[in-house]
Amino acid sequence: MTVGQVLVINSGSSSIKYQVVDPVSGEAVLAGAVERIGETGGPAPDHRAGMREILAEAADALRDVGVVGHRVVHGGELFHRPTVVTDDVVAGIERLAPLAPLHNPANVIGIDAARALLPDAVHVAVFDTAFFHDLPDVARTYALDAKVAAAHGIRRYGFHGTSHQYVSGLVAGLLDRRAAELNQIVLHLGNGASMSAIRGGKPVDTSMGFTPLEGLVMGTRPGDLDPGIVPYLLRAGMSADRVDMLLNRQSGLMGLSGVNDFRELHRLVESGHPAADLAYRVYLHRLRHYLGGYLVELGRVDAITFTAGVGENDARVRADAVHDLDRFGIRLDDARNAAKARGPRLISAPDSPTAVLVVPTNEELAIARQAVETAANPQPPE
Ligand code: ADP
């Protein structure tokens, strides 16, 4: 099999995003999305039709695609590495649907449609949880009744794994060090946000847990809450679905300020909007709480890396996140941090014991590369 281009599919409940990626050069040959699937006036009545649209749009680029990489949100305890898709694998992803009701069923629909329309390609599922599968027991265990936790598969799984793995993997090269000797903290700050602590290439902690709700304050999710709030709201008459909606869509920066985009949030703060100011400070307070925790957990930190929409673009968030941490060996270079640049870069002062970096994430490329590797060396799912 020649390594041609790879089609990467990210299928959500009402959209399919795709890229055709050259896994060697890293170039995205083509990118697009079919959105509003199933909605009246939308471009496609269902995912199969959406996938047909994509194959028509991308026909030229797809001529030499032999591998399709599918982003799958939850691999649960079943999948901890990229896996060639078979009927059994699809059934496994379906069985995990209760753990990710918004995501896994949509991922399965996308996989089914792509397999039906590209039957000769090797399809590989790449899981968002896989990188964190072997978290140390202390980091993956909730202090719940162990029998209840075991019966329901309740543990900390972690998400954004493809991004944390890709970004931390690049850092070693950028610093000209071996990954095995580096202690790292990665801040994936997008609309969803998570942080991980990585020792010698292996994650030892991460801020998202059983679902992508735990941890940092996010665009529309609250991150950590007193769990007592949930039964309290249920008893107050809210349905479970309503609480789910509250936690996934109406909380975080949005819930506090009415906006979830940092560009708008900064504008509101500058215009003296008290709720936006509070939202920004709550966001940073939580972020620094995790940063402190991971500094202590790792003991020595060689690199702190910012990635994703906010981490890559928002110099103010980066400056405030590591502000006044000189005594911990973390010193930003203000000019480097403020420079309008793209691409991986160092933003710490030359004499900062801990390197601070910005490294753009590229989950599609990471999925494409893992899919090619897995297609060439398929491993049985264990
Ligand atoms: P996701 O993949 O989780 O949807 P992204 O990683 O694309 O999110 O991040 C999206 C967020 O990045 C936006 O909501 C916005 O807050 C932030 N963002 C994007 N561009 C900028 C920018 N130039 N300055 C500040 N924040 C930005």
Side-chain angles (χ1 to χ4, degrees), residues 316-339:
R316 190 160 346 159
V317 167
R318 292 194 301 260
D320 289 339
V322 297
H323 171 69
D324 200 17
L325 297 180
D326 248 31
R327 75 191 78 94
F328 299 100
I330 302 165
R331 212 166 301 137
L332 217 54
D333 180 310
D334 293 333
R336 281 181 180 172
N337 181 46

Side-chain angles (χ1 to χ4, degrees), residues 190-192 260-263 308-310 313-314:
N191 207 4
N260 65 329
D261 188 305
F262 266 95
R263 289 161 288 195
V310 181
N313 295 301
D314 198 318

